[in-house]
Amino acid sequence: MIEYRNVRVALLGGGTVGAQVARLLLEHKEEFASRVGASLELTGIAVRNLDAPRSADLPKELFTTDAESLILGADIVIEVMGGLEPARSYILQAINSGADVVTANKALLATHGTELFEAAERVGAQLYFEAAVAGAIPIIRPLRESLAGDRVKRIMGIVNGTTNYILDKMDTEGASFEDALAVATELGYAEADPTADIDAFDAAQKASILASLAFHTTIPLEKVHREGIREVTGKTVELAKKAGYVVKLLAICERLIDPETGEEAVSARVYPALISREHPLASVHKANNAVFVEAEAAGSLMFYGAGAGGPETASAVLGDLVSAARRHIIGGPGLGASTNANLLVLPISTITTRYHVTLSVYDRPGVLASVADVFGRHGVSVELVEQGTFGSEAVSGEAAPTATLVIGTHAALESDLASTVSALAQLDAVSSVVSVLRVEGA
Ligand SMILES: NC(=O)c1ccc[n+]([C@@H]2O[C@H](COP(=O)([O-])OP(=O)(O)OC[C@H]3O[C@@H](n4cnc5c(N)ncnc54)[C@H](O)[C@@H]3O)[C@@H](O)[C@H]2O)c1
Ligand SMILES: N[C@@H](CCO)C(=O)O
Ligand code: NA
């Protein structure tokens, strides 16, 4: 029997992800030891409530509420607690006491990443975070290592499992937003506060991490344009379906030219968009994620798989743990990531894309002409107009027939589209602007 050296692993968090990390670590102890060349000893699991139900049957004596003592005795600390504090302080404590760190916490990395990476670099500690973006899918390591010798031009993908689950259920089963969210929460996909998913904070955090790695530039969270799926109604999904599209929450990070200076710049943005049903992203169902990466030399790459879930996310955490443990026993500093390209992050107003504007209009003569005139005056070229009459709306106390107009545009500048929409809302013929959705992936 081989006598392995011990690597002490402290686990912070025993929830959806943490319980599965602990289970797999204990179940495959021998395999981990032979793979790493050291025994990975789980020294404890820090939790808030010792008696909370767990998704795995784990030895009671491993649980503690004293995270700080657990960190003190650890070689590697895995943080799967979530939230900004005390996660930030615990990770800093771990780094400063000589431990390496594995985290799944995108909120923390997108908010305090610079501080944590600098702290790790100062002492040569390793900081791994594969689980923070797109769950089980290997995407951090490909960007940080495999593509480090290439120039990434564009990333487009679905990076939030919860919202994909909701939109998919609305599209395929006609489910209500609320019912689909309840199931996604039950299945452990949603964040502790699902607002983070619905309002796309989670996707924006992931876009900030992806763009920073891809473009070697710190992309602060507040520079990521963010729109969530709260406004996406059953009607929006139904109209999209009729027109041959599906609504997906997309994260897009790309290199662009700054129109003002002619210099290279970048954009990072997250919003619900229409994707043709023929596009590969249209067939990303349930809580799966998919990320397309376009690089100068490599060309187009596609990463697909489970974006959320306990065992799935635990797989990414454990992959990081194996890497960290191997390096821990060999010694030497952790992996760095360069951010010295310092590219400017462009505002959303400078982005060009196609749009579908859905209007509810009064069914009167001349409506189409006045709507088309507004688009023309703002320099937005119309590609298609579709009309369907349904419903009626009260005007000055009387019911008046209303029609739905869907106007598809050619590629237009975001700022021109925004002024078009404001002007449309002022037209007498327009009862309301039902939705404005970008069309991506053409
Ligand atoms: N659930 C997923 O599918 C998924 C996927 C990828 C990344 N993540 C990330 O993984 C992390 C954990 O997610 P989760 O779904 O397992 O969360 P969870 O809410 O199910 O579990 C959190 C665990 O951390 C413990 N905890 C929280 N605050 C604590 C504190 N102050 N002291 C001690 N223990 C504390 C809780 O007791 C609980 O055991 C988050 O950062 C999340 O964004 C989750
Ligand atoms: N709440 C996140 C977990 C995975 O990061 C999601 O739904 O994608
Ligand atoms: Na991942």
Side-chain angles (χ1 to χ4, degrees):
M1 177 130 166
I2 305 171
E3 273 297 310
Y4 287 116
R5 162 186 168 179
N6 240 16
V7 172
R8 293 158 303 173
V9 180
L11 185 57
L12 310 183
T16 304
V17 181
Q20 294 303 314
V21 168
R23 174 181 70 80
L24 291 164
L25 199 49
L26 296 172
E27 274 180 17
H28 305 302
K29 195 167 171 36
E30 299 305 321
E31 212 171 320
F32 276 111
S34 64
R35 223 172 272 177
V36 173
S39 174
L40 302 184
E41 182 201 353
L42 181 59
T43 53
I45 308 170
V47 293
R48 251 187 317 221
N49 174 5
L50 294 174
D51 301 318
R54 313 272 161 214
S55 66
D57 192 14
L58 300 165
K60 282 240 168 318
E61 61 277 14
L62 281 177
F63 289 90
T64 174
T65 52
D66 184 2
E68 295 194 15
S69 303
L70 198 58
I71 295 166
L72 269 183
D75 297 310
I76 299 174
V77 172
I78 300 175
E79 185 276 307
V80 282
M81 290 177 9
L84 300 185
E85 283 294 352
R88 172 185 155 276
S89 301
Y90 287 164
I91 289 181
L92 287 172
Q93 187 200 333
I95 289 170
N96 293 325
S97 66
D100 293 311
V101 174
V102 174
T103 178
N105 194 333
K106 54 266 162 156
L108 179 62
L109 291 174
T111 314
H112 295 296
T114 307
E115 180 190 22
L116 299 178
F117 290 117
E118 280 175 5
E121 199 146 338
R122 227 177 359 255
V123 299
Q126 304 180 78
L127 179 54
Y128 286 108
F129 49 99
E130 183 56 75
V133 181
I137 305 172
I139 184 66
I140 297 299
R141 194 168 277 107
L143 285 174
R144 208 181 183 193
E145 298 179 51
S146 322
L147 290 166
D150 207 335
R151 285 188 95 244
V152 175
K153 295 195 290 190
R154 192 167 201 264
I155 296 176
M156 176 166 90
I158 295 168
V159 294
N160 182 270
T162 303
T163 47
N164 200 61
Y165 189 88
I166 294 170
L167 293 172
D168 188 45
K169 275 221 160 218
M170 289 170 77
D171 182 76
T172 57
E173 297 170 22
S176 77
F177 188 102
E178 291 73 20
D179 287 352
L181 171 60
V183 185
T185 306
E186 174 69 29
L187 292 171
Y189 304 145
E191 294 301 305
D193 174 2
T195 306
D197 299 292
I198 304 308
D199 293 326
F201 290 101
D202 177 86
Q205 289 153 3
K206 290 164 174 169
S208 149
I209 295 170
L210 291 176
S212 299
L213 288 175
F215 306 130
H216 306 278
T217 293
T218 302
I219 315 275
L221 190 51
E222 58 276 13
K223 294 260 173 100
V224 180
H225 176 81
R226 178 187 55 80
E227 292 170 37
I229 66 160
R230 217 174 267 279
E231 317 271 297
V232 180
T233 60
K235 193 83 205 153
T236 314
V237 172
E238 188 191 315
L239 284 171
K241 203 168 183 173
K242 279 197 183 129
Y245 292 95
V246 58
V247 183
K248 293 287 186 192
L249 181 70
L250 297 185
I252 301 174
C253 311
E254 60 185 342
R255 282 186 203 266
L256 293 169
I257 298 298
D258 180 352
E260 284 192 4
T261 63
E263 300 280 318
E264 188 165 69
V266 293
S267 156
R269 51 194 198 270
V270 176
Y271 43 61
L274 296 174
I275 286 277
S276 158
R277 297 189 95 86
E278 315 290 306
H279 194 279
L281 283 179
S283 46
V284 176
H285 298 293
K286 299 190 173 170
N288 286 307
N289 285 185
V291 185
F292 288 92
V293 178
E294 213 182 302
E296 207 169 274
S300 296
L301 305 165
M302 180 174 164
F303 301 83
Y304 168 81
E312 295 87 346
T313 308
S315 163
V317 169
L318 290 166
D320 280 352
L321 174 64
V322 168
S323 297
R326 282 179 178 154
R327 183 81 67 106
H328 193 90
I329 50 177
I330 296 167
L335 201 66
S338 68
T339 54
N340 49 14
N342 285 328
L343 297 173
L344 179 78
V345 186
L346 294 173
I348 188 76
S349 56
T350 61
I351 301 303
T352 297
T353 189
R354 296 194 294 134
Y355 301 85
H356 268 200
V357 179
T358 304
L359 303 173
S360 174
V361 297
Y362 298 112
D363 212 359
R364 298 175 187 149
V367 169
L368 266 180
S370 60
V371 166
D373 176 59
V374 170
F375 278 88
R377 274 191 288 116
H378 291 89
V380 178
S381 160
V382 172
E383 186 187 8
L384 65 91
V385 179
E386 278 170 13
Q387 181 170 357
T389 305
F390 49 78
S392 64
E393 199 164 297
V395 186
S396 319
E398 281 172 51
T402 57
T404 299
L405 269 190
V406 180
I407 301 104
T409 77
H410 287 289
L413 193 64
E414 185 85 24
S415 53
D416 289 341
L417 198 278
S419 31
T420 305
V421 172
S422 315
L424 286 170
Q426 304 301 316
L427 276 188
D428 281 347
V430 172
S431 141
S432 67
V433 178
V434 178
S435 70
V436 179
L437 283 169
R438 297 165 186 91
V439 184
E440 297 287 352

